[in-house]
């Protein structure tokens, strides 16, 4: 993993930076994963995402579109829903990330089903911990129920959405939550002229 990622990111990151990012991601994901089979692959993806975010925040990599970060507690429901909907509604016009203040091991299956009903797939999504690099890279940070867990940085736009938690809810309730999140995401994208 480290060799492949170091090769892909050569010129922007030293091998040592890549290795440290992979080790951190692997450790964090192992702590919350219920199925460990895919942890190495997900750790490489998370490390790459964090390294890229850090490079964007430091100006080493140019951002071509606005960066949105959606944060909830478990990164298994609301934030995943919002990120997937934003990416679906404004493809190529926005870059979207999601994270959790205390991520869980897997996505909420009702959330996956409710989004699939709208043609939105979560096949690439997984719960991941919040990092300072993704907050620094974000232009807009949207929190949903995570309280003070998200660091507040000057110059960032913050919104706190009062969205019901889909955890433990039946599909009919999750559909209502999905519709609420979609209205909010659509309003945010319009406000950003996307």
């Amino acid at each position: 993993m480290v060799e492949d990622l170091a090769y892909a990111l050569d010129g922007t990151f030293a091998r040592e930076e890549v290795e440290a990012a992979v080790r951190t991601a692997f450790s964090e994901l192992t702590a919350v994963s219920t199925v460990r089979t895919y942890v190495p692959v997900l750790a490489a993806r998370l490390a790459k995402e964090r390294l890229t975010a850090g490079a964007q925040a430091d100006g080493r990599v140019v951002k071509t579109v606005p960066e949105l970060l959606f944060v909830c507690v478990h990164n298994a429901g609301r934030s995943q829903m919002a990120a997937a909907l934003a990416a679906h509604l404004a493809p190529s016009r926005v870059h979207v990330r999601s994270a959790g203040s205390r991520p869980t091991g897997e996505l909420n299956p009702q959330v996956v089903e409710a989004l699939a009903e709208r043609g939105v797939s979560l096949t690439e999504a997984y719960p991941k911990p919040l990092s300072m690099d993704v907050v620094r890279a974000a232009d807009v940070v949207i929190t949903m129920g995570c309280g003070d867990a998200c660091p507040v940085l000057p110059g960032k736009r913050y919104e706190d959405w009062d969205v019901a938690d889909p955890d433990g809810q039946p599909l009919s309730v999750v559909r209502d939550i999905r519709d609420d999140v979609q209205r909010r995401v659509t309003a945010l994208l319009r406000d950003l002229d996307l």
Side-chain angles (χ1 to χ4, degrees):
M1 282 186 316
V2 171
E3 292 305 319
D4 290 348
L5 195 53
Y7 179 78
L9 300 174
D10 188 42
T12 306
F13 299 98
R15 186 190 183 289
E16 295 77 24
E17 291 176 289
V18 172
E19 184 173 356
V22 169
R23 287 187 187 283
T24 299
F26 187 85
S27 174
E28 290 176 356
L29 291 175
T30 300
V32 298
S33 293
T34 55
V35 178
R36 300 201 192 279
T37 306
Y38 301 106
V39 169
V41 172
L42 296 178
R45 284 178 42 199
L46 181 58
K48 183 178 183 180
E49 184 174 312
R50 286 181 172 173
L51 287 166
T52 302
Q56 288 173 331
D58 295 341
R60 291 191 279 170
V61 173
V62 177
K63 289 196 283 188
T64 57
V65 294
E67 296 275 337
L68 304 180
L69 172 61
F70 295 94
V71 183
C72 68
V73 176
H74 296 129
N75 192 222
R78 295 171 286 189
S79 58
Q80 292 284 356
M81 214 182 293
L85 287 165
H88 177 76
L89 294 169
S92 304
R93 294 180 289 164
V94 66
H95 185 261
V96 183
R97 293 185 173 101
S98 71
S101 56
R102 285 181 285 127
T104 187
E106 61 189 62
L107 297 180
N108 180 320
Q110 283 77 20
V111 167
V112 173
E113 186 172 343
L115 285 174
E117 292 174 354
R118 293 283 172 89
V120 179
S121 172
L122 285 177
T123 56
E124 297 287 316
Y126 61 100
K128 53 205 146 309
L130 180 64
S131 75
M132 185 58 92
D133 285 334
V134 296
V135 175
R136 288 177 45 232
D139 296 302
V140 183
V141 179
I142 298 93
T143 58
M144 292 170 266
C146 56
D148 295 334
C150 188
V152 177
L153 299 175
K156 303 288 176 198
R157 174 178 168 181
Y158 288 86
E159 292 188 18
D160 185 43
W161 292 354
D162 186 15
V163 175
D165 189 348
D167 188 34
Q169 298 298 327
L171 184 57
S172 60
V173 173
V174 175
R175 285 179 181 129
D176 291 339
I177 295 169
R178 173 203 61 205
D179 295 346
D180 178 29
V181 170
Q182 184 165 342
R183 280 189 294 275
R184 292 169 186 265
V185 166
T186 301
L188 174 64
L189 294 173
R190 282 189 180 130
D191 187 52
L192 295 172
D193 290 326
L194 299 175

